[in-house]
Amino acid sequence: MRKNIKLTAFAAASAALALGLTACGSSSDPSSSAQTDGGKVDESKPLVIAASPSPHADILNFVKDKLAAKDGLKLEVKEFTDYVLPNTATEQGQVDGNYFQHKPYLDDFNKKNGTHIVPVVNVHLEPLGLYSKKVKALTDIKAGQTIAVPNDTTNEGRALQLLAANNLITLKDGVGTSAKLSDITDKKGLEFKELEAATVPRALNDVDAAIINGNYALEANLSPVKDALVLEKAEGNPYANFLAVKEGKQNDPRVQKLAKLLNSDEVKKFIEEKYQGSVTPAFGTPAAS
């Protein structure tokens, strides 16, 4: 995913989507609608949700295996390893919804791609972190070293805010979560390498430090709590990850059941015990646009 997700990328993603879903090898038909001829939702059909492997799919599979049957919900989880196809699939009705993103990212995606995806319920927060294989402490970051950052608009802005909050750079006043490299007023001698977010962990040996999204850190067997030089603070953080659907599907009874289960005490306990602070529950209603 380049700095700005453009329509060309959206079209390419759409073309790749059919192949991607076929490659998943599901026996179900994700493109089939759960709506009957009368417009009602057929609740006997599985609710198909696209998700990043960790922690999103792990949390959904906990719901699927431990909670869904009691509420009469059939849940199917489809894993995606990028940040574009889950929204493309949701927009085109290939899946019923997705769970992988936060509000600033979705707002940016909808604006640039003309999609109509809306958040349903917040679930968890993955603190963004600064990692390194070459230095042991934040104070070891010096002029002349290179830091890799995610190249999509929202996560790059989020990464730069984390660096600024820890006095590694200075940003223009008021740039907020949309900060870009050009908004840095003092690099303090550092160099930056922009990479697609999913590839940043693999580049960790090639740079002096890197800002890595929480889910990709976990997939790379990094422990945000133990391995990060510094993590975002959870308090007041706008980057809660949520369940999202195409506009108009929020009231699908299956979606409402899943939303309720994702904010249950059982899921809270699962997240706290499994991730030990590397992922934290962040239940509730998503912020308005």
Side-chain angles (χ1 to χ4, degrees), residues 45-262:
K45 288 203 169 186
L47 184 71
V48 183
I49 302 297
S52 297
S54 181
H56 310 78
D58 293 338
I59 294 170
L60 287 171
N61 281 321
F62 171 78
V63 172
K64 175 184 175 183
D65 295 339
K66 303 294 185 182
L67 306 175
K70 296 177 184 176
D71 276 30
L73 174 66
K74 294 180 181 178
L75 181 61
E76 183 176 334
V77 182
K78 286 193 172 293
E79 295 188 7
F80 289 79
T81 57
D82 80 304
Y83 284 164
V84 176
L85 290 177
N87 276 339
T88 308
T90 301
E91 178 71 13
Q92 296 180 346
Q94 301 288 336
V95 297
D96 295 305
N98 64 57
Y99 170 35
F100 77 100
Q101 63 193 319
H102 50 63
K103 192 68 165 51
Y105 178 80
L106 176 60
D107 288 345
D108 184 67
F109 191 95
N110 277 336
K111 180 179 179 181
K112 290 175 176 169
N113 296 289
T115 46
H116 311 83
I117 300 166
V118 295
V120 177
V121 67
N122 287 338
V123 182
H124 78 268
L125 174 70
E126 303 162 25
L128 203 71
L130 178 66
Y131 299 81
S132 177
K133 297 289 188 183
K134 298 180 180 178
V135 302
K136 299 294 185 183
L138 193 65
T139 53
D140 295 332
I141 302 289
K142 305 294 184 185
Q145 295 179 328
T146 299
I147 297 177
V149 296
N151 66 6
D152 61 281
T153 303
T154 54
N155 283 310
E156 182 170 86
R158 186 180 176 186
L160 295 179
Q161 289 292 346
L162 178 61
L163 295 175
N166 287 278
N167 300 314
L168 291 176
I169 60 172
T170 302
L171 291 170
K172 293 177 183 175
D173 291 338
V175 290
T177 57
S178 61
K180 305 179 293 293
L181 292 182
S182 58
D183 293 319
I184 300 175
T185 57
D186 186 355
K187 296 170 61 175
K188 301 188 178 181
L190 295 173
E191 300 295 328
F192 295 93
K193 187 172 185 178
E194 295 174 299
L195 296 170
E196 197 273 328
T199 70
V200 176
R202 296 197 293 274
L204 197 52
N205 288 325
D206 302 324
V207 295
D208 296 291
I211 297 284
I212 301 176
N213 290 66
N215 61 313
Y216 290 135
L218 292 172
E219 290 170 23
N221 294 318
L222 293 168
S223 167
V225 171
K226 297 178 180 177
D227 296 329
L229 300 177
V230 64
L231 283 175
E232 285 179 320
K233 295 179 180 178
E235 185 176 345
N237 195 308
Y239 296 100
N241 282 222
F242 48 62
L243 173 69
V245 298
K246 189 171 184 179
E247 189 171 16
K249 292 192 172 183
Q250 303 95 310
N251 294 322
D252 181 328
R254 301 170 303 157
V255 172
Q256 290 299 310
K257 287 180 181 178
L258 178 58
K260 179 183 175 183
L261 293 173
L262 284 171

